[in-house]
């Protein structure tokens, strides 16, 4: 009867202790004083609370990080510095909204 021999794997695993990913680079447009003022205005107008329906996340004293999100994303033609195109979202809802917009943009 033939004996089954295990082959050594041809691909080695990546050692993340020595292979570091490239550092994240912020979009230079997001670092401008105009964008920072827009962000403050959007968050202040929202009362430092997530604006997603049913969400109770609160920034400032609540300790939750809030994102000033463009309702119509900049790459989809949204006004970059119009406060009417901004909403405050917690990390969970910001990620979900961004993923939906990306999927729609990709045609999925």
């Amino acid at each position: 009867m033939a004996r089954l021999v295990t082959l050594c794997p041809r691909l080695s695993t990546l050692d993340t202790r020595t292979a570091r990913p490239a550092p994240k680079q912020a979009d230079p447009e997001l670092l401008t004083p105009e964008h920072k003022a827009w962000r403050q205005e959007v968050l202040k107008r929202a009362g430092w609370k997530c604006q997603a329906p049913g969400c109770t996340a609160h920034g400032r004293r609540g300790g939750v990080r809030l994102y000033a999100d463009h309702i119509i994303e900049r790459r989809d033609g949204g006004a970059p510095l119009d406060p009417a195109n901004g909403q405050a979202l917690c990390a969970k809802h910001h990620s979900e909204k961004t993923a939906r917009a990306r999927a729609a943009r990709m045609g999925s």
Side-chain angles (χ1 to χ4, degrees):
M1 183 175 255
R3 188 171 185 197
L4 184 60
V5 178
T6 305
L7 297 174
C8 293
R10 293 180 184 243
L11 295 174
S12 61
T13 57
L14 178 65
D15 184 4
T16 57
R17 294 173 297 179
T18 58
R20 299 279 181 209
K24 186 174 179 180
Q25 296 291 326
D27 184 353
E29 186 178 328
L30 301 178
L31 301 175
T32 63
E34 294 83 11
H35 184 271
K36 290 179 182 181
W38 173 83
R39 179 182 185 278
Q40 281 297 110
E41 186 173 344
V42 168
L43 295 176
K44 189 184 291 185
R45 185 187 68 209
W48 297 92
K49 296 178 184 174
C50 179
Q51 293 181 287
C55 186
T56 60
H58 194 285
R60 290 269 166 130
R61 293 188 184 107
V64 175
R65 175 166 181 174
L66 293 177
Y67 294 85
D69 177 68
H70 290 89
I71 297 169
I72 300 172
E73 293 194 14
R74 294 178 301 150
R75 66 176 58 172
D76 293 335
L81 299 175
D82 181 10
N85 189 34
Q87 64 182 345
L89 295 176
C90 65
K92 175 186 174 217
H93 290 112
H94 181 259
S95 296
E96 290 173 356
K97 188 249 178 198
T98 302
R100 280 192 310 271
R102 186 176 294 134
R105 192 178 311 115
M106 298 295 200
S108 302

